[in-house]
Amino acid sequence: MQYVDEFRDPELITRASEEIRRLADPKRHYRIMEVCGGHTHAIYRFGLKDILPSNIELIHGPGCPVCVLPMGRIDDGLAIAKAPNTIFAAFGDMMRVPGAHGSPLEHKARGTDVRIVYSPADALELARKYPEKEVIFFAIGFETTAPSTALTLMSAKAEGIHNFSVFCNHVTIVPAIRAILDSPDMRLDGFIGPGHVSTVIGCRPYEWIARNEGKPVVTSGFEPLDLLQSIVMLLRQMQAGEAKVENQYKRVVPWEGNRAALKAMAEVFELRPYFEWRGLGFISQSALRLREKYAAWDAELRYSVPETRVTDPKAAQCGEVLKGVLKPAQCKLFGKECTPEHPIGALMVSSEGSCAAYYNYEYRKSLVTRISSVA
Amino acid sequence: MAHGAGGKASRRLVEGLFAPLLYPGSQEPLNDAAHLEVGGTRIAFTADSFVVKPLRFPGGSIGELAINGTMNDLAVSGAKGVAITVTFVLEEGLAASVLEAEVRAMSKALKKAGAVIAGGDTKVVERGKADGMYITTAGIGTPLPGIKVDARSVRPGDKILLSGPIGDHGITILLARGDLDFEADLCSDTRSVLPLVEALAAECGPGIRWMRDPTRGGVATALNELARDSGLGIELLEEEIPMHDAVRGACELLGLDPLHIANEGQFLAIVSSEYADIALNALQQTAGGEEARMIGQVQVEPANAVLVTTRYGGSRIVDMLVGDPLPRIC
């Protein structure tokens, strides 16, 4: 497959990993955060940790939109979807995410009309298909998915489709990175910048990280070679004592971002004063809501939202894992009470969450290694 | 729904409720078909239900699937299907032409399999209570001589064979449902695997330790079950696993693991190492087995787990499917 196979070429990958070994100072420990959940998933899926030197530690960041969504928002969305003649439409990722009263799939089993959609446009199509029903689209995601929600709302408005509304949970990546950098226990050397988000916002919004915090950022693609090349670029900067933003994912990410997508977002959304993130708490100006001119399609205004607040179990140490202070397996609940089948903490929820990725791809392997070494 | 998806929840339901109450005291691993002795004669016996939506899809239909799926469960247990019962649950309002088409498809598949219908039943339920038609089957077969399929006889060093490319059926169904706005040149792999199993049995019967058709839950779930039942580890070589580009592309796009995607007309076989090359050759020389590959081996560690070695020498654990495969946002 074009644009995939060439980034999985074993020879090029071997060359890149040799370059990493050459560049990495053996006396130094490097802590690099991959911001995006897609990167976390790819790192485990391709077994990249096994081919990196042990002094390069990859820290999994906050870039999984499903993981960082507070449980109460899921409960709120499902509560309003209980109204008769209502269809609750959401992405596949959301279906197993538990609210305090069950996941969308469990609500479906109890009779709520829950549908998996592959895009917001598919949810609007449901509204066209079932004019007698109310369709609520549970919008989630960073700037990656927000433009398609915006364009869908623009279509709904243009066509005058009024049996459609959006329960907006879109969040923005930069405040989350800022919250992590502001954390006093943070010790990071650089960032693998989020590739998908950057296709929309470009690379410029990360320049303050390099300028003010002195940390290099390399926006990266999702194939093994992309990630290894990004690490090479970060190490080169560190070796030269530089901190700047670089774009490894040039084939997809324009430096200035996607103007059309940004324009659509600006037309439909405005920043919320504050929003709660699972594991990170309240972060100001970190999420989007619908502008007043789209109030007619805003589920939060059209329905009586219970505004449920569910605090994560105290024992779940999601915040520390998100900030890279703890490794997934160091959390007290990991692999015991909290598993992908019964997620308790935020990061075990989606397949892209660092705990779920670690559990699915590494956990049992590490147990086996531990048992062998003990023996 | 997860309890019917063939993954962890299905296994838990069977092991936690069905087996203790309906099959108390048994230590037998869960197989696709039971081998019983009835009046001094050994028979293989299996049952299955088919609830596929849509009823017809590129490469097959529910009727054909019902026959081939039942015959395949018998085949991978080491038996040739001889007779089958069919129960139809029909939804009120189902077009007679749809039913007739499915019966014709079943008739054709039966003839090909060399089996007969031994009986059946028909029920009609109210409109909205079924997706057009459900089919439930039971199948009886005679054991193929010289084969004993049992996870407990699997040994470290045994090789893992796969009869052909994975994921065709699952991705075809996903696309045929029309929820996704893209097309791929892909057909379900629904077919009888009996000719391939017979070829394998003829060439290396004593070398065959275990077989399974990786239907719901895919190759990952079937091999995880083997790992658990044998107490051994499975090492897969990622680059050896055959897969069509369309399946790979769809899985990349949707964030699905092809090892979790359902298959219909493929099977996995564990063969002792001395028979491995002969077995692979036997499959590749048989019509429909040209794309068969040796995809890994059994080893002591990681015990009870499946490990994939990537093309770059990295490795990852592959777990059983949890619920249905769900696509990712990005």
Side-chain angles (χ1 to χ4, degrees):
Chain A
M1 280 185 292
Q2 212 186 353
Y3 302 119
V4 172
D5 289 340
E6 51 268 60
F7 293 91
R8 295 183 184 179
D9 182 329
E11 200 187 311
L12 293 175
I13 282 165
T14 306
R15 227 182 287 165
S17 63
E18 281 167 3
E19 179 69 357
I20 290 171
R21 275 171 208 283
R22 200 182 61 75
L23 287 167
D25 179 353
K27 294 192 287 293
R28 193 175 160 187
H29 189 81
Y30 299 88
R31 290 169 57 89
I32 297 170
M33 175 172 276
E34 84 275 5
V35 174
C36 182
H39 286 148
T40 307
H41 189 82
I43 286 161
Y44 283 118
R45 176 183 165 204
F46 296 111
L48 294 188
K49 280 179 72 181
D50 296 347
I51 55 176
L52 287 175
S54 58
N55 59 334
I56 294 193
E57 186 185 355
L58 296 175
I59 313 285
H60 317 306
C64 165
V66 175
C67 301
V68 295
L69 184 75
M71 209 185 245
R73 296 290 291 182
I74 303 161
D75 289 322
D76 281 352
L78 288 165
I80 59 178
K82 270 187 188 161
N85 275 326
T86 302
I87 296 174
F88 177 88
F91 292 131
D93 304 51
M94 283 304 306
M95 289 296 143
R96 275 196 287 269
V97 180
H101 306 293
S103 66
L105 279 183
E106 285 167 312
H107 280 256
K108 182 170 184 263
R110 290 179 212 140
T112 304
D113 191 349
V114 173
R115 312 275 180 108
I116 298 174
V117 290
Y118 298 89
S119 75
D122 291 345
L124 184 61
E125 189 55 38
L126 282 173
R128 290 191 194 101
K129 194 173 167 188
Y130 302 104
E132 74 288 2
K133 291 187 183 266
E134 288 290 331
V135 176
I136 301 170
F137 175 61
F138 191 85
I140 185 172
F142 287 94
E143 287 93 336
T144 321
T145 53
S148 55
T149 305
L151 289 168
T152 302
L153 280 161
M154 288 160 71
S155 298
K157 190 177 183 201
E159 290 176 46
I161 299 173
H162 286 282
N163 64 325
F164 176 75
S165 61
V166 168
F167 188 72
C168 184
N169 298 283
H170 285 299
V171 283
T172 58
I173 195 73
V174 171
I177 299 176
R178 196 183 295 276
I180 281 171
L181 281 168
D182 285 347
S183 170
D185 41 15
M186 178 43 49
R187 294 170 293 116
L188 287 174
D189 296 304
F191 288 93
I192 295 174
H196 289 142
V197 163
S198 306
T199 59
V200 174
I201 67 172
C203 295
R204 204 173 284 284
Y206 313 124
E207 282 177 341
W208 62 273
I209 302 173
R211 196 175 50 242
N212 302 349
E213 305 285 338
K215 317 268 186 206
V217 180
V218 175
T219 301
S220 175
F222 294 82
E223 296 302 326
L225 193 56
D226 288 320
L227 285 155
L228 296 180
Q229 273 178 348
S230 298
I231 294 170
V232 166
M233 290 162 81
L234 284 168
L235 290 174
R236 281 193 183 139
Q237 283 197 47
M238 289 180 215
Q239 206 181 46
E242 290 177 338
K244 57 188 179 186
V245 181
E246 290 185 286
N247 186 5
Q248 183 277 337
Y249 205 19
K250 279 183 187 153
R251 66 185 187 277
V252 176
V253 172
W255 187 264
E256 299 290 342
N258 181 328
R259 287 178 202 281
L262 291 168
K263 197 175 160 201
M265 282 172 66
E267 154 72 18
V268 173
F269 299 121
E270 61 186 10
L271 282 169
R272 290 176 192 264
Y274 57 88
F275 192 73
E276 188 182 8
W277 292 55
R278 260 182 111 168
L280 291 176
F282 284 93
I283 304 178
S284 69
Q285 308 221 317
S286 65
L288 304 174
R289 67 182 176 198
L290 270 56
R291 287 188 186 277
E292 204 181 339
K293 55 185 165 180
Y294 286 89
W297 291 271
D298 189 342
E300 285 178 86
L301 300 176
R302 279 174 59 161
Y303 298 93
S304 170
V305 180
E307 296 192 29
T308 318
R309 282 213 62 210
V310 184
T311 47
D312 274 340
K314 280 204 174 70
Q317 296 168 290
C318 306
E320 283 86 346
V321 177
L322 265 180
K323 287 182 283 191
V325 178
L326 287 183
K327 290 282 179 199
Q330 290 172 317
C331 170
K332 290 175 207 136
L333 303 186
F334 182 89
K336 301 177 195 89
E337 290 91 336
C338 189
T339 64
E341 267 190 293
H342 297 289
I344 292 173
L347 307 175
M348 192 63 93
V349 171
S350 140
S351 66
E352 292 189 357
S354 53
C355 290
Y358 185 83
Y359 186 96
N360 285 329
Y361 292 134
E362 286 281 323
Y363 177 48
R364 285 201 286 163
K365 200 170 90 178
S366 71
L367 280 186
V368 169
T369 313
R370 212 178 306 154
I371 292 163
S372 308
S373 60
V374 169
Chain B
M1 291 297 285
H3 288 102
K8 275 187 179 177
S10 304
R11 176 111 187 173
R12 226 178 18 247
L13 181 66
V14 172
E15 288 181 348
L17 178 67
F18 297 158
L21 292 176
L22 300 176
Y23 201 34
S26 170
Q27 300 298 314
E28 294 281 316
L30 300 167
N31 287 325
D32 286 322
H35 282 227
L36 311 165
E37 194 167 308
V38 182
T41 305
R42 290 202 67 80
I43 60 157
F45 189 35
T46 191
D48 214 334
S49 285
F50 299 84
V51 293
V52 63
K53 190 167 81 173
L55 298 176
R56 299 194 77 80
F57 44 84
S61 68
I62 189 170
E64 186 195 17
L65 206 60
I67 302 300
N68 286 341
T70 311
M71 294 293 119
N72 287 350
D73 280 348
L74 291 166
V76 294
S77 80
K80 182 183 186 316
V82 292
I84 188 167
T85 67
V86 179
T87 300
F88 294 96
V89 176
L90 307 175
E91 184 180 348
E92 186 181 32
L94 178 76
S97 59
V98 172
L99 180 59
E100 188 185 328
E102 292 316 309
V103 176
R104 286 187 189 282
M106 293 170 90
S107 164
K108 205 170 151 191
L110 269 172
K111 271 189 199 133
K112 216 168 165 184
V116 296
I117 290 286
D121 186 33
T122 307
K123 296 280 188 288
V124 179
V125 296
E126 290 168 36
R127 184 183 277 274
K129 302 280 185 191
D131 293 318
M133 166 191 322
Y134 299 144
I135 299 175
T136 297
T137 62
I140 287 183
T142 52
L144 295 168
I147 301 186
K148 190 168 184 327
V149 175
D150 189 336
R152 292 166 300 186
S153 63
V154 172
R155 296 287 174 266
D158 288 352
K159 304 294 181 193
I160 304 161
L161 268 63
L162 178 63
S163 64
I166 61 169
D168 285 1
H169 177 73
I171 296 295
T172 300
I173 294 293
L174 197 63
L175 299 184
R177 282 183 187 152
D179 295 336
L180 290 173
D181 209 5
F182 68 85
E183 290 173 9
D185 187 13
L186 210 54
C187 281
S188 165
D189 59 10
T190 172
R191 61 172 177 171
S192 166
V193 298
L194 185 64
L196 290 167
V197 169
E198 284 180 321
L200 209 56
E203 293 293 326
C204 50
I208 301 172
R209 315 265 206 208
W210 176 91
M211 291 187 286
R212 175 67 58 87
D213 53 341
T215 51
R216 291 162 311 149
V219 167
T221 302
L223 289 178
N224 265 284
E225 289 189 346
L226 171 66
R228 282 188 48 175
D229 291 341
S230 65
L232 294 168
I234 305 290
E235 188 201 3
L236 297 177
L237 301 170
E238 192 169 53
E239 61 188 311
E240 297 300 327
I241 299 170
M243 195 186 317
H244 288 136
D245 261 358
V247 169
R248 198 152 69 96
C251 287
E252 289 292 335
L253 210 62
L254 298 168
L256 303 174
D257 186 342
L259 291 169
H260 282 148
I261 304 295
N263 310 276
E264 278 299 331
Q266 305 299 351
F267 72 104
L268 290 154
I270 305 292
V271 180
S272 65
S273 59
E274 64 265 38
Y275 279 101
D277 290 334
I278 303 168
L280 181 62
N281 193 46
L283 285 178
Q284 289 177 338
Q285 297 303 314
T286 306
E290 298 84 357
E291 293 178 85
R293 293 285 179 277
M294 203 181 300
I295 61 166
Q297 65 174 356
V298 179
Q299 40 197 35
V300 178
E301 285 189 341
N304 306 307
V306 180
L307 190 76
V308 170
T309 299
T310 67
R311 298 165 74 194
Y312 334 110
S315 64
R316 64 183 165 96
I317 289 282
V318 176
D319 207 352
M320 289 173 89
L321 177 66
V322 176
D324 279 311
L326 294 171
R328 285 205 321 257
I329 297 176
C330 62

